[in-house]
Amino acid sequence: QVQLVESGGGSVQPGGSLRLSCATPGNMFSINVLGWYRQAPEKEREFIASISSSGFATYADSVKGRFTISRDNGKNTMDLQMNSLKPEDTAVYYCNLRGRRRYYSIESDYWGQGTQVTVSS
């Protein structure tokens, strides 16, 4: 079973910062893309940011310039630095891994359990 563990969520005032971390398995055959998604109450899950195995990062327009995604392949971790947070950033944030568990596996998506981020004054 592929387990992703998020940490770093919490409550912060508007304009504040939080850093989310995701611990990824160290025994995957390959990890293609790592990413973050979020889901606010009564809304669909939406893409936030992703980073490829070569370090190429992509961001949703809503977070571009405020959030920074990074990954450390040696430590099997991925981080999301969130600055200038707004109330509309309030959501449950999910870590996503797209990769192959074994050499014979098909590429699949795996998800963490989610961590709550609340931005409120």
Side-chain angles (χ1 to χ4, degrees):
Q1 188 172 355
V2 177
Q3 186 174 13
L4 307 178
V5 181
E6 299 113 333
S7 59
S11 296
V12 65
Q13 293 186 340
S17 298
L18 282 175
R19 188 177 184 90
L20 304 182
S21 293
C22 176
T24 64
N27 60 352
M28 295 285 291
F29 173 75
S30 66
I31 297 177
N32 184 9
V33 178
L34 292 170
W36 290 95
Y37 290 69
R38 68 186 181 190
Q39 187 167 17
E42 300 182 357
K43 292 189 176 181
E44 293 188 352
R45 189 173 297 188
E46 64 172 348
F47 167 80
I48 295 301
S50 66
I51 186 166
S52 71
S53 56
S54 61
F56 182 78
T58 304
Y59 298 93
D61 288 342
S62 59
V63 305
K64 201 172 293 183
R66 299 188 298 124
F67 291 10
T68 302
I69 190 171
S70 61
R71 66 190 282 180
D72 187 325
N73 294 330
K75 295 182 179 179
N76 299 314
T77 58
M78 171 183 61
D79 292 344
L80 184 69
Q81 178 65 43
M82 305 185 294
N83 298 328
S84 303
L85 283 161
K86 306 174 181 180
E88 51 263 43
D89 293 319
T90 295
V92 177
Y93 284 69
Y94 295 90
C95 171
N96 170 261
L97 180 157
R98 179 168 297 172
R100 296 166 62 189
R101 189 176 178 189
R102 299 287 182 265
Y103 71 91
Y104 50 79
S105 302
I106 60 172
E107 189 171 84
S108 301
D109 281 308
Y110 302 93
W111 297 90
Q113 80 286 353
T115 185
Q116 177 70 46
V117 171
T118 302
V119 185
S120 174
S121 55

